[in-house]
Amino acid sequence: MPTWVQALLWGTVAGAALVLGSAIAWKWTIAPKVVSSIMSFGAGVLISALSFDLVDEAERGGGLWPTAAGFLAGALVYVGANALLTRRGAKHRKRSNGKQPSEQDKPGSGTAIAIGALLDGIPESVVLGLGLVSGGSVSAAVLAAVFISNVPEGLSSTAGMKKSGRSAGYVFGVWGGIALISGLASLIGYASLQNAPAEMVAFITAIAAGAILAMLADTMIPEAFEEHHVLTGLIAALGFLAAFTISQAGG
């Protein structure tokens, strides 16, 4: 299979996990503690992937300074964009407990939530394509981390969308569109950097990593803590350990 097809395929598969989580939440009412537990696990998984399969690999491939600069840039860009979206009604886009505003409460919030969901998902997809540039194949640990974390993201956010009165067309349009865009983002990440210097690959990889960590702190961890704060740390640690085990077994 051509490498560019792999980039498109795996990015789409990872994005499809958002649709899976969304479908579960739309079909069934999931207990808030279950949602927060799954979100905690997903956050731990992503933190592990950031530590061992993104930032560490970027530093080894392109050096400390490109990695550090990219990581800081990614965090700054995400936080800035998220702050703008927060003002437009997307602050609670991953919350499942009814905090999301309806279109009547906050006109334009539907668009802001959709853009926010896209902002959250694109960095995760880009790193899948970048993995094909630096390693020649998609990292099983990163793919598993993105897929596992996307399920609770789609689940929690859709539960909140449903409670705020969003239609099925809106909900599945958002997540289906993001799944397709995720595949394209992975493809673009691969195609645009396949002949780039190692320092540039490290810089872009670290940008994505910094954005993902900022996303975790701003959106996933607050939802994870919301209902199940007593066990949030333990469940996140189990997610971290699961992803670390996959990474070591794959290495």
Side-chain angles (χ1 to χ4, degrees):
M1 183 186 297
T3 307
W4 69 268
V5 175
Q6 294 183 49
L8 179 63
L9 173 64
W10 293 123
T12 304
V13 167
L18 293 164
V19 182
L20 174 60
S22 179
I24 292 171
W26 193 263
K27 178 70 174 178
W28 296 286
T29 299
I30 310 298
K33 285 189 180 297
V34 174
V35 174
S36 67
S37 296
I38 298 172
M39 191 70 85
S40 300
F41 189 86
V45 165
L46 272 183
I47 291 170
S48 177
L50 284 172
S51 303
F52 299 105
D53 293 283
L54 295 181
V55 176
D56 183 56
E57 289 291 331
E59 191 279 328
R60 285 194 282 170
L64 174 60
W65 295 115
T67 301
F71 192 85
L72 180 59
L76 287 171
V77 169
Y78 179 90
V79 169
N82 192 50
L84 292 175
L85 290 169
T86 293
R87 296 177 184 176
R88 298 183 179 274
K91 179 178 181 180
H92 298 299
R93 60 183 176 273
K94 282 192 172 63
R95 298 300 183 93
S96 61
N97 57 3
K99 289 187 176 182
Q100 286 188 29
S102 67
E103 198 65 26
Q104 290 72 32
D105 295 332
K106 183 77 173 180
S109 60
T111 300
I113 289 170
I115 294 172
L118 184 62
L119 175 69
D120 298 338
I122 290 302
E124 300 171 354
S125 302
V126 168
V127 297
L128 293 173
L130 292 174
L132 287 164
V133 174
S134 57
S137 62
V138 170
S139 166
V142 174
L143 179 61
V146 174
F147 191 92
I148 291 171
S149 65
N150 275 351
V151 171
E153 285 188 57
L155 193 157
S156 179
S157 188
T158 296
M161 291 175 180
K162 190 176 179 181
K163 288 180 179 178
S164 67
R166 310 284 178 192
S167 68
Y170 169 85
V171 171
F172 291 104
V174 166
W175 297 121
I178 291 175
L180 294 175
I181 293 171
S182 295
L184 292 174
S186 179
L187 173 59
I188 291 169
Y190 167 74
S192 62
L193 293 170
Q194 58 180 319
N195 296 314
E199 292 80 7
M200 178 62 70
V201 174
F203 180 75
I204 300 299
T205 300
I207 286 178
I212 292 170
L213 184 59
M215 180 272 291
L216 284 170
D218 282 355
T219 62
M220 285 187 72
I221 291 175
E223 169 63 17
F225 190 80
E226 184 77 18
E227 295 289 340
H228 218 162
H229 60 276
V230 173
L231 295 178
T232 297
L234 175 60
I235 297 171
L238 291 174
F240 183 98
L241 181 60
F244 175 72
T245 301
I246 293 172
S247 176
Q248 295 304 301

